[in-house]
Amino acid sequence: MSSYPSHSEHASTGPVLALVFNALVWGLSWIAFKALHAHGLHPLWSTAIVYGGALVGWLVWQPGSVRALVRHPWLLGLAAAAGLTNVGFNWAVTVGDVVRVTLLFYLMPVWSIGLAWWLLDERPTRAALLRLLLALGGLVLVLHKPGSSWPLPRGAADFLALLGGFCFALTNALLRRWRDAPQPARVLAMFGGGFAMSTTLALAGLAGGAPGPGWLANAAGWLPWAVGLTLAFLGGNLALQYGAARLPAQVTALIMLAEVVFASVSAVWLGAATPTSWTWAGGALILLAALLSIRPVRRAD
């Protein structure tokens, strides 16, 4: 048996690194969203501004992506899933405990196994089911509340994080299912979905009405954060497109758990989270599920 890496191991390095970069962008994005919130922007409006900027930039760079999207109208499903992913996560991480929100969001193993079986005909293996049980055990511990007999979500941030995590698992599955669609059309669908869903919900009143008159007057404070986050999401989205289209959906979901590390370390360091011992224990189980996915990643291609 040769000790040298196989061709498949080399082939999977690029997609894995791309997904890790995307996880880094999402893992640190809470800093920008909390800064935008401190300048008076509701998370829905922040998401609309950031994805509106990314959408405009993409259309200037790839104007032909509109025609490509028209030729693949089923990508509107990807747009809806990606849009709700951003609404759920961005809102939750802005108003909630960063570590807790990130752990609940990245319970993708719970959702991705069923979605991959349904949408991609990827039947779960015994190892995948073991990872699912570990992730569910982590969920129970994270949701544990002293004095309560049932580990249930507490508050809007928990529900938003769970919604965002489910939609992200769905986004990854749809990216793999429709990987033959032109990349410009897929990117346009995701940026367009992020802008459309957040704007629609904000205008529906979930953001407490339109921003006040001070919104534009404070542009000098929030605009640098918005521009930086827009550029980061542009790069992260392209990385996700590249990686998720080349790896099984279950593997993609588990690699992306690297965001838990990035978000948790930065949040605790900067004082944006106060995780309990139950939270750490649940997070350990979720990360263990991710570690068990290392061998499947190496064999993915």
Side-chain angles (χ1 to χ4, degrees), residues 8-9 34-35 58-59 108 119 155 159-160 179 181 198-199 208:
S8 63
E9 290 174 324
K34 284 188 179 293
W58 182 254
L59 288 174
M108 289 188 299
L119 294 172
F159 285 104
L160 287 167
R179 60 187 179 275
S198 57
T199 302

Side-chain angles (χ1 to χ4, degrees), residues 263-292:
S264 299
V265 171
S266 61
V268 173
W269 184 32
L270 296 175
T274 54
T276 66
S277 58
W278 290 99
T279 303
W280 288 125
L285 287 181
I286 294 173
L287 290 177
L288 177 59
L291 291 175
L292 290 177

Side-chain angles (χ1 to χ4, degrees), residues 25 28-54 86 89-91 93-95 198 207 211-212 214-233:
V25 170
L28 299 182
S29 66
W30 68 267
I31 300 174
F33 279 110
K34 284 188 179 293
L36 290 167
H37 195 236
H39 284 91
L41 290 178
H42 188 279
L44 286 175
W45 289 117
S46 297
T47 302
I49 291 170
V50 168
Y51 274 85
N86 284 280
F89 178 78
N90 297 346
W91 194 344
V93 83
T94 301
V95 302
S198 57
W215 182 57
L216 292 177
N218 294 332
W222 60 260
L223 190 57
W225 288 103
V227 171
L229 194 56
T230 298
L231 295 175
F233 276 171

